[in-house]
């Protein structure tokens, strides 16, 4: 009865194997607090996929090491799925340290943007940058994310705001993703801001995106998703609806920056459009908390952005109690959250947004994967899924959230490969 599975990587004597086994759909309510831990666990993978999980005491009977396989005794340390960071903006050039200093002196993020700084400042630098320099910035930040446990990452364009630069950025991400350890999902965020050449003509810019840019992105297969910054002073809900409906007709999955600084109807529109995810939500109304909770749209919270901008944190507990499917992500970008660390986001979700530790781990793994439509491959450690894992120098998973800003990560495994060996 006990036929053995062949494995090229076997981890044994895992104090807590946090499998997250369960539905591939985003989890909510009680299901978001269940980590499906195997104590004294073991896990085996072959050719980048998980082939078996169980008790260490059963491993010898169930797993056949392939020749040249690697077997590691973890001496009671813990293993979790790799993190899924479902919202980042690492395709840019230059820095925004000058604006950061202005904010430190009391200036407001939205005022800086309205005065032509903010996103447009990064757009100016990105338009002038070569693909090589955009790639080197991307590689630098993706590498940091990997060291901090992120094995799947969504990257957005949105600092080009013209056909040529948006394509340059997305081509850079696409090229890199072919030969890069992390799994990369690409999102076209041409509707991140109204560029200077369309100043005060947002509708004409939306026309340009729909008629000229989106078809080209589609033809070249440069993006998996389309996103828009629906916000006071940027794009209205009416413009967002027109744009995202066009993107859906072209076959893109859609997601939104919604209700970040003001409630402009973003979250509600995301539900109407069956968006995969509505992100930020610092200003979501109680009525729209109930609406998103009753929908399949994932509420993606970005607590690092609230921290970095000195804004009130997003209403995590309210969303969780209402029954929403909640993910957390870094929002890594040069202006509003210059931080690549998912473990820090977990700490902030727990300490500032009312998550339990279990809900925060779910939000950073399975629910992030579901927000990217990857719930069947990523975010859990179940046979058939990708062997993306984190080995922690901890004997209790609660230490993940407890250690603020400093993750106790021993090693990260992507597609069955240890990064400590990869980068040797
Ligand atoms: O998600 N909110 C819009 N976009 C980014 C900020 C980008 C920037 O400031 O460069 C965000 O926070
Ligand atoms: Fe963002």
């Amino acid at each position: 009865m006990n036929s053995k599975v062949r494995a090229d990587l076997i981890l044994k004597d895992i104090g807590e194997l946090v499998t997250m086994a369960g539905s591939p759909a985003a989890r909510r309510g009680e299901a978001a607090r269940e980590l499906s831990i195997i104590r004294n666990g073991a896990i085996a993978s072959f050719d980048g996929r998980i082939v078996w999980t169980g008790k260490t005491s059963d491993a010898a009977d169930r797993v056949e090491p392939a020749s040249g396989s690697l077997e590691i005794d973890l001496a009671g340390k813990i293993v979790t799925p790799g993190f899924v960071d479902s919202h980042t903006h690492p395709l840019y050039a230059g820095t925004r340290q000058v604006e950061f200093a202005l904010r430190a002196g009391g200036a407001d993020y939205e005022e800086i943007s309205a005065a032509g700084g903010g996103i447009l400042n990064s757009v100016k630098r990105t338009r002038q940058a070569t693909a090589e320099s955009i790639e080197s910035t991307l590689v630098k930040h993706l590498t940091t994310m990997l060291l901090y446990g992120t094995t799947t990452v969504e990257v957005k364009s949105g600092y080009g705001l013209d056909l040529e630069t948006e394509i340059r950025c997305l081509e850079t991400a696409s090229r890199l993703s072919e030969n890069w350890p992390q799994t990369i999902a690409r999102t076209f965020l041409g509707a991140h801001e109204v560029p200077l050449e369309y100043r005060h003509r947002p509708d004409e810019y939306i026309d340009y995106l729909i008629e000229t840019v989106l078809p080209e992105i589609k033809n070249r297969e440069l993006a998996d998703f389309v996103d828009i910054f629906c916000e006071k002073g940027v794009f209205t809900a009416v413009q967002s609806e027109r744009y995202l409906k066009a993107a859906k007709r072209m076959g893109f999955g859609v997601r939104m920056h919604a209700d970040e600084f003001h409630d402009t109807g973003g979250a509600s529109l995301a539900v109407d459009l069956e968006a995969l995810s509505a992100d930020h939500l610092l200003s979501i109304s109680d009525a729209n908390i109930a609406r998103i909770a009753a929908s399949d749209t994932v509420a993606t919270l970005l607590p690092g952005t609230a921290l970095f901008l000195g804004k009130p944190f997003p209403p995590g507990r309210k969303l969780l109690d209402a029954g929403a499917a909640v993910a957390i992500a870094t929002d890594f970008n040069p202006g509003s959250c210059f931080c690549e660390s998912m473990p820090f986001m977990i700490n902030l979700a727990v300490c500032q947004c009312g998550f339990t530790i279990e809900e925060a781990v779910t939000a950073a793994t399975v629910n992030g994967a579901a927000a990217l439509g990857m719930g069947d491959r990523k975010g859990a450690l179940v046979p058939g899924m990708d062997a993306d894992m984190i080995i922690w120098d901890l004997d209790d998973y609660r230490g993940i959230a407890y250690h603020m800003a400093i993750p106790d990560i021993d090693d990260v495994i992507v597609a069955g490969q240890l990064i400590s060996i990869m980068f040797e």
Side-chain angles (χ1 to χ4, degrees):
M1 169 192 124
N2 279 352
S3 66
K4 288 194 181 186
V5 289
R6 226 152 62 95
D8 54 22
L9 176 71
I10 306 165
L11 307 181
K12 287 182 181 169
D13 203 7
I14 302 167
E16 295 175 343
L17 175 62
V18 177
T19 70
M20 308 303 300
S23 159
R27 317 245 173 107
R28 49 185 97 220
E30 193 51 48
R33 292 188 281 274
E34 176 55 58
L35 304 188
S36 300
I37 293 172
I38 302 174
R39 287 175 216 285
N40 306 315
I43 185 165
S45 70
F46 186 73
D47 207 14
R49 294 273 182 88
I50 297 162
V51 290
W52 180 81
T53 60
K55 291 274 186 195
T56 295
S57 51
D58 293 333
D61 285 345
R62 301 299 310 277
V63 181
E64 177 76 48
S67 74
S69 66
L70 181 62
E71 228 173 293
I72 308 174
D73 186 323
L74 288 188
K77 291 181 178 180
I78 76 162
V79 170
T80 67
F83 294 128
V84 179
D85 190 347
S86 59
H87 182 140
T88 83
H89 307 245
L91 289 166
Y92 67 91
T95 69
R96 301 253 288 281
Q97 289 163 96
V98 172
E99 288 179 10
F100 182 73
L102 290 174
R103 288 204 295 110
D108 178 73
Y109 178 78
E110 285 179 277
E111 283 164 19
I112 292 172
S113 299
I119 292 169
L120 292 179
N121 185 351
S122 294
V123 168
K124 197 162 50 195
R125 314 276 203 96
T126 308
R127 285 181 176 179
Q128 290 161 359
T130 61
E132 291 68 36
S133 98
I134 292 165
E135 179 173 322
S136 79
T137 301
L138 177 64
V139 163
K140 177 177 171 182
H141 297 299
L142 289 180
T143 304
T144 306
M145 290 175 193
L146 184 58
L147 295 171
Y148 282 69
T150 296
T151 51
T152 297
V153 55
E154 182 254 23
V155 309
K156 300 178 195 291
S157 68
Y159 292 111
L161 313 188
D162 61 22
L163 180 66
E164 190 195 322
T165 318
E166 287 291 316
I167 285 181
R168 187 156 73 249
C169 289
L170 288 170
E171 274 181 351
T172 300
S174 303
R175 215 175 23 248
L176 185 77
S177 72
E178 283 164 22
N179 195 16
W180 182 255
Q182 284 150 314
T183 298
I184 296 175
R186 303 151 307 162
T187 295
F188 172 61
L189 180 55
H192 197 191
E193 176 58 285
V194 183
L196 279 182
E197 60 275 21
Y198 281 90
R199 198 134 208 203
H200 307 305
R201 296 184 296 136
D203 278 297
E204 286 173 46
Y205 181 57
I206 294 281
D207 291 340
Y208 163 71
L209 290 178
I210 293 175
E211 286 158 23
T212 307
V213 189
L214 275 181
E216 202 55 38
I217 301 289
K218 188 76 203 169
N219 284 343
R220 297 184 189 215
E221 297 181 9
L222 287 175
D224 310 294
F225 306 109
V226 168
D227 191 347
I228 188 166
F229 189 15
C230 179
E231 182 57 57
K232 190 171 163 189
V234 192
F235 297 105
T236 64
V238 172
Q239 288 157 348
S240 303
E241 180 172 5
R242 182 161 75 88
Y243 179 62
L244 293 179
K245 279 187 168 165
K248 279 186 87 165
R249 278 196 299 273
M250 289 182 212
F252 291 105
V254 298
R255 43 204 330 109
M256 287 181 73
H257 282 68
D259 301 344
E260 181 176 359
F261 302 121
H262 305 274
D263 174 8
T264 63
S268 168
L269 176 63
V271 172
D272 289 340
L273 295 178
E274 296 178 345
L276 279 139
S277 157
D279 301 31
H280 282 294
L281 308 177
L282 302 187
S283 306
I284 188 172
S285 66
D286 287 348
N288 286 331
I289 287 177
R291 277 210 80 201
I292 203 166
S295 80
D296 286 333
T297 297
V298 175
T300 300
L301 305 186
L302 311 164
T305 309
L307 180 79
F308 200 76
L309 296 181
K311 304 274 180 192
F313 283 89
R317 191 69 254 152
K318 276 189 170 181
L319 282 156
L320 291 157
D321 284 344
V326 182
I328 53 178
T330 61
D331 194 24
F332 171 80
N333 75 74
S336 69
C337 188
F338 199 55
C339 178
E340 299 94 335
S341 171
M342 285 296 280
F344 188 37
M345 299 307 139
I346 288 177
N347 173 269
L348 290 176
V350 170
C351 294
Q352 305 294 339
C353 308
F355 286 59
T356 66
I357 295 169
E358 294 76 16
E359 286 164 341
V361 171
T362 300
T365 55
V366 276
N367 284 8
L372 295 178
M374 291 184 182
D376 54 348
R377 291 169 58 198
K378 303 288 185 184
L381 302 178
V382 172
M385 293 178 67
D386 294 347
D388 295 346
M389 316 175 226
I390 305 170
I391 300 173
W392 297 85
D393 185 18
L394 293 170
D395 58 10
D396 180 328
Y397 72 85
R398 290 171 289 199
I400 296 169
Y402 171 53
H403 205 165
M404 184 164 74
I406 311 294
D408 298 284
I409 292 178
D410 252 8
D411 213 332
V412 179
I413 298 172
V414 252
Q417 306 283 320
L418 274 73
I419 65 166
S420 58
I421 297 176
M422 218 182 282
F423 291 143
E424 217 163 42

